Amino acid sequence: MRRVQSIVLLGVLVAAGCGSTPISPSSIETCAGFGEWQTSPYVLPYAVGTSYFVDQGNCSPPGNGHTGAAKFGYDFLMPIGTPIYAARAGTVTMVEESHFDGQVAATGFDNVIVIQHDDGTTALYGHLTHDGAVVGVGDRVLQGALVGHSGNTGNTNNKPHLHLSAASCDPSALGTASCPTLPMNFRNTAANPQGLQRGGSYTALAFELFGGKPSLA
Ligand SMILES: [Zn+2]
């Protein structure tokens, strides 16, 4: 609901024109730049036929986590141990799985997998369970392949969930601040031209890999 408000505010900002008191741009996240969702390179990172709730989406309200360089991303509420599948093919560049579920803090306890895609962008799968990765650094993973299991580690606000975000470069090498997140939508669910919406639940549908091969999941 609050996201709808921010869209309205942006509309006001655009329509206000000269002479009106502008709304401070710094108070509004610009959350645009999505490609065609039907041909998105991404699929939902969970099993075909399952559905999860988006607790936090792109451009969070102030006080929440998806802002600034990290403004594009999704938090899918799911029980600890839910299988996580690659949203896009790539090569694993980072695995951290040493932390334990319930080790919740703003920094320092996140279990993550980072996968770099062929165009240099990356996807980060966050808050995974202890020993929750089934891939290792250097592994090549196909879209839809099992990569790990979700958990409740790190900056979760003590809500077990998967954080998924795409970034312009490899945050495990260059730092998250140097690799701004990117708009991400998904071709195997309901229409999502502006990405998934906070407060919605999205079912993963069967999909084809690019090239017409059937999905693995
Ligand atoms: Zn998140």
Side-chain angles (χ1 to χ4, degrees):
M1 295 299 275
R2 296 177 74 172
R3 181 178 155 72
V4 172
Q5 284 177 356
S6 71
I7 291 170
V8 172
L9 282 174
L10 280 171
V12 170
L13 184 62
V14 170
C18 305
S20 300
T21 303
I23 299 167
S24 167
S26 63
S27 68
I28 300 173
E29 295 271 17
T30 303
C31 226
F34 292 88
E36 289 273 336
W37 70 272
Q38 297 95 332
T39 55
S40 168
Y42 297 101
V43 297
L44 288 173
Y46 41 81
V48 168
T50 64
S51 180
Y52 292 97
F53 180 83
V54 177
D55 191 50
Q56 196 174 179
N58 302 303
C59 298
S60 300
N64 291 274
H66 298 173
T67 58
K71 68 182 179 181
F72 292 111
Y74 301 106
D75 292 342
F76 299 100
L77 293 186
M78 51 178 59
I80 293 170
T82 302
I84 302 304
Y85 300 89
R88 183 174 174 182
T91 301
V92 179
T93 63
M94 179 183 179
V95 172
E96 170 60 66
E97 57 179 348
S98 68
H99 303 299
F100 290 88
D101 296 292
Q103 282 190 310
V104 174
T107 58
F109 293 121
D110 289 273
N111 287 339
V112 300
I113 296 171
V114 176
I115 295 176
Q116 187 152 39
H117 313 128
D118 288 345
D119 65 355
T121 65
T122 55
L124 184 150
Y125 304 76
H127 312 309
L128 302 178
T129 192
H130 179 66
D131 283 339
V134 301
V135 293
V137 171
D139 285 357
R140 177 80 190 166
V141 298
L142 296 175
Q143 186 166 48
L146 181 69
V147 296
H149 295 89
S150 72
N152 182 27
T153 58
N155 190 12
T156 64
N157 200 25
N158 209 22
K159 290 181 180 179
H161 71 268
L162 173 72
H163 171 97
L164 174 67
S165 53
S168 55
C169 56
D170 185 354
S172 70
L174 301 172
T176 50
S178 299
C179 295
T181 53
L182 299 170
M184 184 184 215
N185 50 15
F186 301 88
R187 70 177 185 271
N188 70 326
T189 191
N192 60 115
Q194 301 302 315
L196 308 182
Q197 299 300 301
R198 179 171 176 258
S201 290
Y202 292 86
T203 301
L205 305 174
F207 61 92
E208 291 191 345
L209 299 177
F210 288 141
K213 296 172 187 166
S215 61
L216 301 174

